[in-house]
Structures are given as structure tokens and as C-alpha cells.
Amino acid sequence: MKLSEIRTLLNADIIFGEELLETTEVETAFASDLLSDVLAYSKPNALFITGLTNPQVIRTVEVLDLVGVVFVRGKVPQLETVELAKRRNIPLLRTKCIMFEACGRMYTAGVGASRQTVD
Amino acid sequence: MRQDVYRGCGRLAPDGGLRGMIPFQVYMLRGRDFSNAGRISSSIKRVLKENKFDPGVIQRIAIITYEAEINLACYTYYGYLWIYFLNDRIKIVVKDSGQGITDIALAMKEGYSTASEEIKRLGFGAGMGLANIKKNSDLMFLHSLPGIGTTLQIEVLLNPDQKREPMNITMEEVLTRTNFTLLTEGIDLTRNVTGGFAGDMLSDVNANSREGNIWITILAHPNGIAVASLKEHAGIIISGGIKPGGDFLERALRENIPVLFSELSTYEVVTILSGLGITANH
């Protein structure tokens, strides 16, 4: 699924990367407010759904080769976060959905989990 | 970009190969600097990508260095990170000047954390960092002096399927392939050797030797047997021509620890063992 479709699905604002929405393919996603857990468990190429707003979100995306970030619960990322995402060319969306709702809409539309269980 | 935060030296061969040189890079890391944490791991990742390392290896290194950076930002004043590109592995050493870790076993435990609220707000400090580093490395060694700092050593093998070969050598073979004298007749010598450790300070042996190690020492005191037994050593070699007394050997027999004797110095004994393929613990 294209990131532009996810944007419609979540009724999300584009914070950065309008021109990336058509070219970014999203097959899986990982949702968490704990970056260490994302680092421990997420697989590459997932879309990252989070309520965290600090620049470490982008570092984590970079380390794991994730495809983009959706900020949930209406959170606005810090300026530094947006600046870093621009430099790294990582698309950022913001939705008023809570995390469960965002995940539910995406899952129903066919976006799978980055991983289903942890060992 | 602040120049003083990051510094690199040493470089890879121009063709991206690693032949004929020992390339390494060193970076300075600033503690208490959350906004810059992650910059060094991202630049290391770029270097690895440019040099076409295996994507799995790149990601493991990126996660390890990133968690190390976060730890540094959380708990230290400053530190250095060295990355060495060896033939079959990448080695990373992180040394910091920070508060140190009092109980390493506890710190390694998933879920244990001493993080402040500030760290937790960033999405870290859930006690996953060191466990994450360990999970992604093939070899991890952590040494810490509380109040002074911590050294972390990591190795990641370049071929993911390549694991360290078991040494495949028993105490019996050590005995038959060397001219060391067995002082404890009748003790089982079939146990496998996992490596060697040389040292004469009990607290050091206790802290750094491992199960299955051969311990080389000039220390022929019965307390040594207690340590060897506690650490489940494969055996002890008393070097330097020091003759252990009766109480020492008696205790060795009781605790089932093979004791070998050599006139050679510790250094020479280590050289011989290394010739048999017995290496250090790293």
C-alpha cells in the first residue's frame, strides 16, 4: 500500500515528504512508544507508528531502515525531529487517531505486522 | 555539524576492500547530549553501506552502536568509540568516563534500568539497551569500574553463519601434547577446554575467567582451588616451577580439579597452550 493511501486512511497531515508519499510502499508496520523495543524487535521496511516526538525517533528509523513515521494522538514532532527527517528524507505524517485506531485501520486495509510475536 | 563531537581517522582501501591494512575509525562521544546521540552510528552505517557489507551485519552494527551512544548520552560525561574492520569480523570498543556499573549481571537483565524520567520520556530507559547489544553481537565483554567508567567490547562476525569453533581439546590432550606433569592422578580429564586464563590475583580470576578455562598461575594456595571450582575451570596449570603443597593438592582432589605442573614461566606456558589452539576469552 502506498503511503498516500495510508494518509487518506488515517486522515493524516503531512509534516514532511509530500513528494515521497506516492513512492513509499508500506507492507508492514510497527507501533511502539519505546524505542528500545523497536530496535529490538522491528524488521526493516516497516512504517513506524508512535507517540514519541524527539529526534531519536528519526535515528531509530535510520538505524533500522524503516520507511516513515506516523505520529499518533495528534502529537506534533519537535522542530529538531522534523529537521533531521528532512535531512534524511524520511516522510512524516500526523494523525489524531490514537495508536490502536491507527493500527486497526491500517491492519484492516492490509498492512501486516512487522513481526507478529516476540520470542 | 559541530566538528568537535565527531572525529574519524583511518580509512578503508579505495576499492572498498579490506586487504593489506588494518583500517579502523575512532569517534569521540559526548555524554549528556541527547540531541546528537545517534549521529555516530548513522555515520558508521554510511561507511559500512559504502563498503558493501552484508545488510544484516550493517543493521546489527547500527543497532549496537546506537544503543551504545544512547547509553553514553544517558550515563556518562564523554567517551570514545573505536571500530575495527578485521578480516572476518568487525570489532567495536566503547570506553566512557561515567558513573560505571556496579552490578553487571543485573544491568544486563532485560527490564532492569536506572534511567531518569528524562531518558524515559525519550523512549529509552526500559532496560533493553545492553540486552539489545548482546542480542546483536557474537561476542560481548563488559568491564566497569564504578565511579570511573565502563568499557564495552563487541564483535560481529561478517559471515552470519560462521560461529566460533569449539576448541575441541580436552585436558587429556593438553597433558599428552605438552610436557606438563599431572599432579592429581585419577581425576577425570575428559572435560573440554573453552579457553585459557592467566593470572595470580584471585579477584581477577573470579571476575574474568570462564567455565571450562585452563587457569595458569603461580598461586599454589588452597583458596585457588575454591575459585577454580566455583568457576568450573577445566584445570589449573601451576607455572614457574612453584611446587604446590599437600593441602593444595588434597583440596584439588576433593574438588575434582585437575592440576598440572610446569617448570616454565606463565608466559611460556601460555605460548604452548596457544600453539594447541587454546585462546583467550576476549
Side-chain angles (χ1 to χ4, degrees), chain B residues 12-19 21 23 51:
Chain B
L12 301 177
D15 62 349
L18 300 170
R19 289 178 301 275
M21 55 194 300
N51 286 279

mmCIF file with all atom_site columns, all heavy atoms in Angstrom, chain B residues 12-19 21 23 51:
data_model
loop_
_atom_site.group_PDB
_atom_site.id
_atom_site.type_symbol
_atom_site.label_atom_id
_atom_site.label_alt_id
_atom_site.label_comp_id
_atom_site.label_asym_id
_atom_site.label_entity_id
_atom_site.label_seq_id
_atom_site.pdbx_PDB_ins_code
_atom_site.Cartn_x
_atom_site.Cartn_y
_atom_site.Cartn_z
_atom_site.occupancy
_atom_site.B_iso_or_equiv
_atom_site.pdbx_formal_charge
_atom_site.auth_seq_id
_atom_site.auth_comp_id
_atom_site.auth_asym_id
_atom_site.auth_atom_id
_atom_site.pdbx_PDB_model_num
ATOM 1  N N   . LEU B 1 12 ? 39.156 2.953  4.886  1.00 0.00 ? 12 LEU B N   1
ATOM 2  C CA  . LEU B 1 12 ? 39.131 1.700  4.148  1.00 0.00 ? 12 LEU B CA  1
ATOM 3  C C   . LEU B 1 12 ? 39.908 1.870  2.852  1.00 0.00 ? 12 LEU B C   1
ATOM 4  O O   . LEU B 1 12 ? 40.125 2.972  2.382  1.00 0.00 ? 12 LEU B O   1
ATOM 5  C CB  . LEU B 1 12 ? 37.686 1.321  3.826  1.00 0.00 ? 12 LEU B CB  1
ATOM 6  C CG  . LEU B 1 12 ? 36.794 1.155  5.046  1.00 0.00 ? 12 LEU B CG  1
ATOM 7  C CD1 . LEU B 1 12 ? 35.381 0.867  4.613  1.00 0.00 ? 12 LEU B CD1 1
ATOM 8  C CD2 . LEU B 1 12 ? 37.303 0.051  5.939  1.00 0.00 ? 12 LEU B CD2 1
ATOM 9  N N   . ALA B 1 13 ? 40.325 0.747  2.271  1.00 0.00 ? 13 ALA B N   1
ATOM 10 C CA  . ALA B 1 13 ? 41.020 0.805  0.992  1.00 0.00 ? 13 ALA B CA  1
ATOM 11 C C   . ALA B 1 13 ? 40.101 1.433  -0.044 1.00 0.00 ? 13 ALA B C   1
ATOM 12 O O   . ALA B 1 13 ? 38.884 1.312  0.036  1.00 0.00 ? 13 ALA B O   1
ATOM 13 C CB  . ALA B 1 13 ? 41.417 -0.596 0.579  1.00 0.00 ? 13 ALA B CB  1
ATOM 14 N N   . PRO B 1 14 ? 40.669 2.149  -1.035 1.00 0.00 ? 14 PRO B N   1
ATOM 15 C CA  . PRO B 1 14 ? 39.858 2.889  -2.012 1.00 0.00 ? 14 PRO B CA  1
ATOM 16 C C   . PRO B 1 14 ? 38.884 1.996  -2.785 1.00 0.00 ? 14 PRO B C   1
ATOM 17 O O   . PRO B 1 14 ? 37.793 2.437  -3.150 1.00 0.00 ? 14 PRO B O   1
ATOM 18 C CB  . PRO B 1 14 ? 40.894 3.487  -2.961 1.00 0.00 ? 14 PRO B CB  1
ATOM 19 C CG  . PRO B 1 14 ? 42.204 3.329  -2.305 1.00 0.00 ? 14 PRO B CG  1
ATOM 20 C CD  . PRO B 1 14 ? 42.109 2.302  -1.251 1.00 0.00 ? 14 PRO B CD  1
ATOM 21 N N   . ASP B 1 15 ? 39.247 0.737  -3.003 1.00 0.00 ? 15 ASP B N   1
ATOM 22 C CA  . ASP B 1 15 ? 38.349 -0.135 -3.756 1.00 0.00 ? 15 ASP B CA  1
ATOM 23 C C   . ASP B 1 15 ? 37.277 -0.734 -2.852 1.00 0.00 ? 15 ASP B C   1
ATOM 24 O O   . ASP B 1 15 ? 36.514 -1.588 -3.259 1.00 0.00 ? 15 ASP B O   1
ATOM 25 C CB  . ASP B 1 15 ? 39.145 -1.251 -4.447 1.00 0.00 ? 15 ASP B CB  1
ATOM 26 C CG  . ASP B 1 15 ? 39.864 -2.136 -3.439 1.00 0.00 ? 15 ASP B CG  1
ATOM 27 O OD1 . ASP B 1 15 ? 39.903 -1.734 -2.256 1.00 0.00 ? 15 ASP B OD1 1
ATOM 28 O OD2 . ASP B 1 15 ? 40.350 -3.196 -3.824 1.00 0.00 ? 15 ASP B OD2 1
ATOM 29 N N   . GLY B 1 16 ? 37.242 -0.298 -1.612 1.00 0.00 ? 16 GLY B N   1
ATOM 30 C CA  . GLY B 1 16 ? 36.242 -0.829 -0.707 1.00 0.00 ? 16 GLY B CA  1
ATOM 31 C C   . GLY B 1 16 ? 36.680 -2.112 -0.059 1.00 0.00 ? 16 GLY B C   1
ATOM 32 O O   . GLY B 1 16 ? 36.024 -2.633 0.834  1.00 0.00 ? 16 GLY B O   1
ATOM 33 N N   . GLY B 1 17 ? 37.818 -2.643 -0.467 1.00 0.00 ? 17 GLY B N   1
ATOM 34 C CA  . GLY B 1 17 ? 38.293 -3.890 0.120  1.00 0.00 ? 17 GLY B CA  1
ATOM 35 C C   . GLY B 1 17 ? 39.025 -3.616 1.411  1.00 0.00 ? 17 GLY B C   1
ATOM 36 O O   . GLY B 1 17 ? 39.286 -2.476 1.769  1.00 0.00 ? 17 GLY B O   1
ATOM 37 N N   . LEU B 1 18 ? 39.357 -4.668 2.106  1.00 0.00 ? 18 LEU B N   1
ATOM 38 C CA  . LEU B 1 18 ? 39.996 -4.502 3.399  1.00 0.00 ? 18 LEU B CA  1
ATOM 39 C C   . LEU B 1 18 ? 41.404 -5.074 3.383  1.00 0.00 ? 18 LEU B C   1
ATOM 40 O O   . LEU B 1 18 ? 42.020 -5.260 4.407  1.00 0.00 ? 18 LEU B O   1
ATOM 41 C CB  . LEU B 1 18 ? 39.177 -5.221 4.471  1.00 0.00 ? 18 LEU B CB  1
ATOM 42 C CG  . LEU B 1 18 ? 37.745 -4.749 4.637  1.00 0.00 ? 18 LEU B CG  1
ATOM 43 C CD1 . LEU B 1 18 ? 36.981 -5.676 5.533  1.00 0.00 ? 18 LEU B CD1 1
ATOM 44 C CD2 . LEU B 1 18 ? 37.714 -3.350 5.194  1.00 0.00 ? 18 LEU B CD2 1
ATOM 45 N N   . ARG B 1 19 ? 41.916 -5.361 2.202  1.00 0.00 ? 19 ARG B N   1
ATOM 46 C CA  . ARG B 1 19 ? 43.189 -6.062 2.105  1.00 0.00 ? 19 ARG B CA  1
ATOM 47 C C   . ARG B 1 19 ? 44.363 -5.174 2.475  1.00 0.00 ? 19 ARG B C   1
ATOM 48 O O   . ARG B 1 19 ? 44.396 -3.982 2.180  1.00 0.00 ? 19 ARG B O   1
ATOM 49 C CB  . ARG B 1 19 ? 43.390 -6.565 0.680  1.00 0.00 ? 19 ARG B CB  1
ATOM 50 C CG  . ARG B 1 19 ? 42.492 -7.712 0.314  1.00 0.00 ? 19 ARG B CG  1
ATOM 51 C CD  . ARG B 1 19 ? 42.729 -8.112 -1.128 1.00 0.00 ? 19 ARG B CD  1
ATOM 52 N NE  . ARG B 1 19 ? 42.480 -7.016 -2.041 1.00 0.00 ? 19 ARG B NE  1
ATOM 53 C CZ  . ARG B 1 19 ? 41.286 -6.703 -2.521 1.00 0.00 ? 19 ARG B CZ  1
ATOM 54 N NH1 . ARG B 1 19 ? 40.252 -7.410 -2.158 1.00 0.00 ? 19 ARG B NH1 1
ATOM 55 N NH2 . ARG B 1 19 ? 41.136 -5.719 -3.360 1.00 0.00 ? 19 ARG B NH2 1
ATOM 56 N N   . MET B 1 21 ? 45.621 -3.764 4.995  1.00 0.00 ? 21 MET B N   1
ATOM 57 C CA  . MET B 1 21 ? 45.703 -2.718 6.001  1.00 0.00 ? 21 MET B CA  1
ATOM 58 C C   . MET B 1 21 ? 44.790 -3.044 7.167  1.00 0.00 ? 21 MET B C   1
ATOM 59 O O   . MET B 1 21 ? 43.946 -3.912 7.099  1.00 0.00 ? 21 MET B O   1
ATOM 60 C CB  . MET B 1 21 ? 45.349 -1.363 5.397  1.00 0.00 ? 21 MET B CB  1
ATOM 61 C CG  . MET B 1 21 ? 44.009 -1.329 4.723  1.00 0.00 ? 21 MET B CG  1
ATOM 62 S SD  . MET B 1 21 ? 43.782 0.120  3.689  1.00 0.00 ? 21 MET B SD  1
ATOM 63 C CE  . MET B 1 21 ? 43.950 1.426  4.880  1.00 0.00 ? 21 MET B CE  1
ATOM 64 N N   . PRO B 1 23 ? 42.254 -1.174 8.889  1.00 0.00 ? 23 PRO B N   1
ATOM 65 C CA  . PRO B 1 23 ? 41.506 0.074  8.974  1.00 0.00 ? 23 PRO B CA  1
ATOM 66 C C   . PRO B 1 23 ? 40.694 0.135  10.271 1.00 0.00 ? 23 PRO B C   1
ATOM 67 O O   . PRO B 1 23 ? 40.175 -0.859 10.732 1.00 0.00 ? 23 PRO B O   1
ATOM 68 C CB  . PRO B 1 23 ? 40.576 0.008  7.771  1.00 0.00 ? 23 PRO B CB  1
ATOM 69 C CG  . PRO B 1 23 ? 40.658 -1.371 7.260  1.00 0.00 ? 23 PRO B CG  1
ATOM 70 C CD  . PRO B 1 23 ? 41.576 -2.183 8.089  1.00 0.00 ? 23 PRO B CD  1
ATOM 71 N N   . ASN B 1 51 ? 30.878 0.517  1.794  1.00 0.00 ? 51 ASN B N   1
ATOM 72 C CA  . ASN B 1 51 ? 31.835 -0.559 1.603  1.00 0.00 ? 51 ASN B CA  1
ATOM 73 C C   . ASN B 1 51 ? 31.164 -1.915 1.401  1.00 0.00 ? 51 ASN B C   1
ATOM 74 O O   . ASN B 1 51 ? 31.803 -2.960 1.503  1.00 0.00 ? 51 ASN B O   1
ATOM 75 C CB  . ASN B 1 51 ? 32.819 -0.596 2.764  1.00 0.00 ? 51 ASN B CB  1
ATOM 76 C CG  . ASN B 1 51 ? 33.813 0.544  2.655  1.00 0.00 ? 51 ASN B CG  1
ATOM 77 O OD1 . ASN B 1 51 ? 34.770 0.453  1.912  1.00 0.00 ? 51 ASN B OD1 1
ATOM 78 N ND2 . ASN B 1 51 ? 33.547 1.642  3.356  1.00 0.00 ? 51 ASN B ND2 1
#
